[in-house]
Amino acid sequence: MHIMEGFLPHPWWEIWFALSLPVVAYGVYKMNRMIKNSRETLPLLAVAGAFVFVLSSLKLPSVTGSCSHPTGTGMGAIIFGPWITSVLAVIVLVYQAIFLAHGGLTTLGANVFSMGIAGPAVGYLIYRAASRSGLHLYLSVFLAATLADWATYLVTALQLALAFPAASGGVYASFEAFAAVFAITQVPLAAVEGAVTALMFKYILELRSDVLVRMNVVSEKAVARLREVAA
């Protein structure tokens, strides 16, 4: 999904920077306040950031000027919400652009918007809705991570379509073409990411369920039910 350096023409790379910057700035404010009020969240932040970095570095060739890979942002969105996850995504994307030639600095705004804002926002809303509906916790995590991944790639397809509309059919035809190519690799990759995220969440819950309860990520009742089933 990382759009390569220099691939987006003017004015699109500037537009995505302008849209992403306020969200990231507010995310920095939220993160600083959370750390100040709850230092025990620091290890979880580190785990969520590392999860994004590792999964989003596993790239496969896809659309010209971009690639396919898991995003890993569903985990951060579930635990910290989309604002703070956008900051984690910026850190990962900058590192990958500079040291791994994965993505780019001029396309950073577009990549942050798709992977660090749109995807996490969808994942967060799906997780909250699924949890309120009484769906099993791990199934909620799976759906949130999977749909966050798909949302990221749909937004990337839209970004490419807006920048490179088809000669016949315009933006819509171009969006269909980009989305179809992404789907070949991304549909199965997203399902795998959902399963891996659910397993990682289960591990975190077993270690620090107290922190997740205080952060309102899970309820005490849900934790109790899971422990009863495990027993």
Side-chain angles (χ1 to χ4, degrees):
M1 147 264 126
H2 290 34
I3 301 175
M4 67 185 289
E5 174 65 30
F7 193 74
L8 289 181
H10 168 82
W12 290 107
W13 67 269
E14 298 101 318
I15 289 172
W16 296 114
F17 263 108
L19 292 174
S20 298
L21 187 59
V23 177
V24 175
Y26 185 64
V28 171
Y29 165 75
K30 292 265 292 183
M31 179 182 288
N32 287 336
R33 192 173 67 174
M34 182 188 70
I35 293 172
K36 182 179 179 181
N37 296 333
S38 183
R39 299 287 294 182
E40 66 267 26
T41 60
L42 279 172
L44 288 180
L45 269 175
V47 169
F51 194 68
V52 174
F53 176 77
V54 171
L55 264 66
S56 63
S57 295
L58 304 174
K59 60 180 180 177
L60 297 171
S62 187
V63 174
T64 300
S66 185
C67 59
S68 282
H69 56 76
T71 66
T73 54
M75 174 73 73
I78 291 168
I79 299 176
F80 300 106
W83 303 102
I84 292 175
T85 304
S86 71
V87 181
L88 297 178
V90 168
I91 295 170
V92 168
L93 288 168
V94 168
Y95 185 94
Q96 289 175 336
I98 294 174
F99 296 104
L100 303 180
H102 188 21
L105 295 179
T106 61
T107 56
L108 182 63
N111 291 333
V112 168
F113 190 88
S114 60
M115 192 177 101
I117 297 174
V122 169
Y124 175 80
L125 293 174
I126 292 296
Y127 175 74
R128 290 297 176 181
S131 298
R132 284 196 295 269
S133 70
L135 208 62
H136 191 281
L137 178 61
Y138 299 136
L139 180 56
S140 300
V141 172
F142 171 83
L143 289 174
T146 300
L147 294 177
D149 185 297
W150 288 346
T152 294
Y153 280 86
L154 287 174
V155 171
T156 300
L158 177 61
Q159 290 171 329
L160 293 170
L162 288 170
F164 304 101
S168 176
V171 172
Y172 182 75
S174 187
F175 172 77
E176 281 190 324
F178 283 126
V181 176
F182 274 135
I184 295 171
T185 52
Q186 212 53 41
V187 168
L189 275 178
V192 172
E193 178 179 349
V196 171
T197 303
L199 288 172
M200 179 62 73
F201 189 84
K202 181 177 184 293
Y203 177 72
I204 293 173
L205 187 64
E206 290 173 352
L207 290 180
R208 296 310 308 264
S209 61
D210 56 328
V211 177
L212 295 180
V213 168
R214 283 199 296 273
M215 295 173 67
N216 294 317
V217 177
V218 296
S219 66
E220 291 184 357
K221 289 183 178 179
V223 174
R225 284 198 299 268
L226 290 172
R227 286 176 176 168
E228 287 176 4
V229 171

